[in-house]
Amino acid sequence: MLTSLSIKNYALIQSVQLRFDKGFTVITGETGAGKSILLGALGLITGKRADMSSAGDATQKCIVEGVFHIEGYQLNPFFKEHDLDYENATIVRREILPSGKSRAFINDTPVTLAQLTILGARLVDIHSQNKTLQVVENDFQFEMIDTFSDNLKLLGQYKESFKAWKLSQSELKELLERKKQAQLEYDYQSFLFTELDEASLKEGEYVALEEELNTLSNADEIMQQLATAVQNISLDESGAIDQLTNARAALSRLNSYGTQYTAIYEQLNSAFLELEDIGATLSEMSDAVDADPLTLERLNNRMQLLHSLLKKHQVATVEELIDIRNNLDNDLQDIAGVDDKIQALEDKIKTQHNKASTLAAKLHKERATAAPHLKSLVEKLLIELGMPNAQFQVSLATQEDLHASGNDVLEFLFSANKGSELKPLGKVASGGELSRVMLALKSVLSKHKQLPTLIFDEIDTGVSGDIAVKMGGILKKMGRTMQLISITHLPQIAGQGASHFKVYKKDTDERTQTFIEQLDEDARIVEIAAMLGGNQQSQAAIDHAKNLLN
């Protein structure tokens, strides 16, 4: 429920603060006074697009702020989904800066226009004469019959089932397309995998192979230098080991002359033992050098194979080739098992379709049961609204295909005149007739569902006299269960509002401004009398206005 509305620097409104009560509120004013400006401001905080032309003074910021009491609207999931603070008294604000940039806030948290639009649709429902065309839209008609028949829980179950079924169908379509594409590529992928698999790739192989090739390619030089080193270390009489042996023997004779000689002897002995190890290692390395040309050829061939595979797959390492091989293996296994997956998915789709069809049948049964009662209520209201010969019917038939609302083909049929054939509402009803049908449907709907704040913009166009009184009575009854605001030119309707606002224009020294004020009882009498008899208010008009109010 809208509890307050603040408008600053919007169109002809400089600044206004309004407080709204629950129930039926009327807004009156002369043509051109600015009632549409009020709707425009409400549109801003419900997500409508805006530009700087909305501002009265282009050098100043335009601000529209509404406070809504939202307890009972089941909006907690929306706030949780969009990470917003939930407050029973939620503040929605829209700002248009002099630069033309627009900003939106929910409880002082910046939000996108899309988020504001989602929330706005749950808070305010504005019905202009163009919006009345909604009554002929299939989505609205399904919402109407399902709300009236208390189908919303069942409909939610169906929608979940239908969504799961459609999702599985999409998965199957994608899987079949993947199979088709995979079959085209299977032979080539199989060839690539076999080529990599037969290469018997090993991690770290490339580096080891480079080292081995480097050794074999320089085998003669390595063997010659190793032999030289071994000779210098191990050659009898002139080798380093023989020389160290003599030095060690000499120092061993000095051990008894002091600890310093013993220490140097032990150092020399350690060097001797290490040099012996080095000599043995060099001999082993020399023996290990293989200058066999066949081995060199084999390693070169292996290196060429690796180079070829690296270039072919456009990678830099053998490890990447191994990853490609493994991925190809997985893909080939997936292709091999795709038929089993397709069969399993087809079985799942069949089960999901059966479940959705069962729920759709239940929806149809509930709708068919409720349709005659809805027909009766709407026709009764249309009679009150001055259409004694109006006929209304809910046409309901089933089809094989499922859609988002079941498997029903739904149409609201209408005839305004006795003896006329019932035809689809949108094809035979005039604008005024559509407005009355919409009012009748919304009146019925308000008894079965917590509706957002409902704003009617001159829904009374084309009616007068006693019919206007009855229309006002219907709006007043609706106001008992919801917040309803009606912009009207009819005194018969204005007199039945629980509260009354007047919109008017006034010239100031600087510019023309639109003002909005709430009327007390005396001011309402004057306003309604003016609506009845013009500015020259007679006593009869005053008395009539009092009668309408009472």
Side-chain angles (χ1 to χ4, degrees), residues 213-224:
L213 271 173
N214 191 41
T215 299
L216 288 177
S217 298
N218 299 279
D220 292 339
E221 173 70 13
I222 293 171
M223 291 174 67
Q224 181 181 345

Side-chain angles (χ1 to χ4, degrees), residues 133-166:
L133 295 176
Q134 182 192 50
V135 73
V136 304
E137 295 174 359
N138 211 228
D139 287 345
F140 173 81
Q141 294 179 359
F142 270 111
E143 179 190 2
M144 184 71 218
I145 189 67
D146 284 325
T147 301
F148 183 74
S149 57
D150 293 324
N151 263 349
L152 297 182
K153 183 177 180 180
L154 179 60
L155 181 63
Q157 295 172 348
Y158 169 78
K159 285 184 177 295
E160 286 183 8
S161 181
F162 176 76
K163 182 180 179 181
W165 173 62
K166 295 297 286 183

Side-chain angles (χ1 to χ4, degrees), residues 1-6 17-20 42 45 65-68 483:
M1 182 183 90
L2 177 65
T3 59
S4 68
L5 181 66
S6 170
Q17 300 275 345
L18 305 175
R19 296 194 64 82
F20 293 91
L42 282 167
I45 58 172
E65 181 176 285
V67 180
F68 294 86
Q483 186 182 47

Side-chain angles (χ1 to χ4, degrees), residues 433-493:
E433 290 165 347
L434 282 177
S435 294
R436 297 186 210 185
V437 173
M438 171 62 85
L439 178 58
L441 289 170
K442 286 288 184 179
S443 176
V444 172
L445 199 60
S446 68
K447 295 181 177 66
H448 291 79
K449 180 182 179 182
Q450 176 68 56
L451 295 177
T453 296
L454 184 59
I455 300 175
F456 283 123
D457 181 17
E458 300 183 4
I459 196 172
D460 49 30
T461 299
V463 300
S464 59
D466 188 50
I467 302 304
V469 174
K470 291 180 178 179
M471 180 177 283
I474 292 173
L475 293 170
K476 185 175 182 178
K477 287 179 184 177
M478 290 175 67
R480 293 172 185 168
T481 57
M482 63 177 296
Q483 186 182 47
L484 177 64
I485 300 172
S486 180
I487 295 174
T488 182
H489 285 294
L490 298 180
Q492 296 92 333
I493 290 178

